[in-house]
């Protein structure tokens, strides 16, 4: 690499892990012109710095090339494969089973610029835009994400989240910790009817406690949402398409956790 590095560039150690997960070129197609490591660096740059695709620095591959790879890898499940590999590596390094037995769920409303799909107003947060709903393991690694309008009830969106978490993918999962917004009879009935083995456990503050208090285990999902806010591409919802925004959230989580695993921090 002849150019000066950017803070979001992957290191040699990170690339050694990521390279086998990059899909090979399609047989019979045009040979790839640009190194896949530089394409991935371009995608991480967009997620971290929040520039528009057309404003991608010229020492990266052309913006259209980066955008096309981003869309293709979102469609074929590459970002999900990266996160799964990341989760398993992080849990092994922490001395835990690669498959989590517990998880945490929460949501975060973000403002929307330029309209687009599913726009609403979160009356409690006074935010007009969309809401990202996430489930993470007890280390804070993303398991799944759903994007809705900001006025969608969290317990209703949880059904869409849990629909993406079949028991075959998470065989050890027993409990999903949540706040009081998820204490919902309709959600409990949905879990029973769809034969989900895990249950929602509401974790609340002790009576009489006011102000912010980190709750045992459930605080990790708040930390992940705070990390996501450091990626400018998803701090405000600029992309009009939910499909693209979901990919950027997965990309942002991959960026922070690969850097964390290799002791580079997430500054």
């Amino acid at each position: 690499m002849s150019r000066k590095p950017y803070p979001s560039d992957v290191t040699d150690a990170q690339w050694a892990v990521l390279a086998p997960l990059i899909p090979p070129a399609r047989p019979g197609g045009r040979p790839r012109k640009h190194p896949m490591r530089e394409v991935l660096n371009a995608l991480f740059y967009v997620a971290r710095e929040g520039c528009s695709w057309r404003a991608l620095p010229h020492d990266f591959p052309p913006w259209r090339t980066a955008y096309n790879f981003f869309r293709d890898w979102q469609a074929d499940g590459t970002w999900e494969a990266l996160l799964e590999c990341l989760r398993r590596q992080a849990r092994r390094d922490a001395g835990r089973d690669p498959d989590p037995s517990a998880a945490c769920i929460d949501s975060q409303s973000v403002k929307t610029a330029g309209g687009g799909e599913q726009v609403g107003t979160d009356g409690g947060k006074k935010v007009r835009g969309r809401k990202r709903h996430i489930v993470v393991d007890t280390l804070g690694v993303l398991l799944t994400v759903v994007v809705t309008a900001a006025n969608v009830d969290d317990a209703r969106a949880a059904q869409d989240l849990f629909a993406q978490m079949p028991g075959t993918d998470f065989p050890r999962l027993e409990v999903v910790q949540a706040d009081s917004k998820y204490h919902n009879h309709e959600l409990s009935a949905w879990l029973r009817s769809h034969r989900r083995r895990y249950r929602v456990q509401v974790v609340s503050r002790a009576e009489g406690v006011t102000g912010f208090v980190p709750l045992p285990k459930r605080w990790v999902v708040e930390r992940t949402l705070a990390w996501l806010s450091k990626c400018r591409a998803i701090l405000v919802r600029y992309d009009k398409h939910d499909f693209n925004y979901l990919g950027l959230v997965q990309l942002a989580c991959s960026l922070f956790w690969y850097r964390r695993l290799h002791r580079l921090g997430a500054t």
Side-chain angles (χ1 to χ4, degrees), residues 204-232:
S204 303
R205 291 180 297 184
E207 293 185 7
V209 176
T210 60
F212 174 75
V213 178
L215 299 176
K217 295 185 179 180
R218 201 181 68 78
W219 67 270
V220 296
V221 68
E222 301 285 355
R223 182 184 63 177
T224 299
L225 290 171
W227 282 343
L228 290 177
S229 297
K230 294 183 179 181
C231 281
R232 297 179 180 178

Side-chain angles (χ1 to χ4, degrees), residues 19-265:
L21 302 175
I22 300 299
R26 297 187 181 95
R30 181 183 299 177
R32 287 174 173 172
K33 181 178 179 181
H34 303 281
M36 289 298 97
R37 181 172 178 175
E38 277 295 83
V39 171
L40 193 62
N41 283 335
L43 299 181
F44 280 151
Y45 181 91
V46 170
R48 175 66 189 271
E49 304 303 332
C51 70
S52 65
W53 291 100
R54 288 177 173 81
L56 193 67
H58 297 300
D59 46 5
F60 284 123
W63 75 267
R64 176 64 72 178
T65 298
Y67 178 75
N68 287 342
F69 274 112
F70 169 76
R71 293 274 298 187
D72 289 346
W73 292 344
Q74 172 68 357
D76 65 14
T78 297
W79 301 134
E80 293 179 1
L82 287 176
L83 278 170
E84 181 180 3
C85 176
L86 162 70
R87 170 170 52 84
R88 290 181 173 276
Q89 180 182 349
R91 295 185 64 84
R92 289 192 189 98
D93 290 352
R96 304 190 185 187
D97 191 289
D99 293 312
S101 61
C104 304
I105 184 174
D106 207 347
S107 67
Q108 184 180 50
S109 297
V110 294
K111 295 181 179 179
T112 298
E117 303 170 3
Q118 302 190 61
V119 178
T121 301
D122 182 344
K125 302 292 180 59
K126 303 296 189 296
V127 172
R128 176 168 174 77
R130 296 180 181 87
K131 187 183 291 186
R132 52 193 179 211
H133 308 261
I134 65 171
V135 178
V136 302
D137 71 359
T138 51
L139 293 180
V141 185
L142 185 71
L143 300 182
T144 189
V145 56
V146 164
V147 175
T148 68
N151 60 341
V152 173
D153 182 70
D154 288 349
R156 172 61 190 87
Q159 297 179 23
D160 297 331
L161 281 169
F162 294 151
Q164 299 179 16
M165 299 171 58
T168 53
D169 292 345
F170 303 98
R172 296 182 65 248
L173 188 60
E174 297 178 356
V175 61
V176 178
Q177 297 187 336
D179 59 23
S180 58
K181 294 179 292 185
Y182 297 90
H183 182 61
N184 182 278
H185 295 297
E186 184 178 347
L187 176 59
S188 299
W190 186 94
L191 289 170
R192 289 193 300 269
S193 65
H194 288 77
R195 298 182 180 180
R196 292 295 190 265
R197 67 165 59 91
Y198 46 85
R199 59 186 174 85
V200 175
Q201 180 185 49
V202 175
V203 180
S204 303
R205 291 180 297 184
E207 293 185 7
V209 176
T210 60
F212 174 75
V213 178
L215 299 176
K217 295 185 179 180
R218 201 181 68 78
W219 67 270
V220 296
V221 68
E222 301 285 355
R223 182 184 63 177
T224 299
L225 290 171
W227 282 343
L228 290 177
S229 297
K230 294 183 179 181
C231 281
R232 297 179 180 178
I234 58 177
L235 180 59
V236 176
R237 175 68 182 272
Y238 293 105
D239 203 303
K240 295 182 179 181
H241 303 292
D242 289 343
F243 183 80
N244 288 355
Y245 189 74
L246 288 172
L248 286 172
V249 172
Q250 293 171 333
L251 190 62
C253 285
S254 299
L255 171 62
F256 279 117
W257 268 98
Y258 273 113
R259 296 186 70 196
R260 185 178 178 85
L261 283 174
H262 292 278
R263 302 181 184 278
L264 295 179

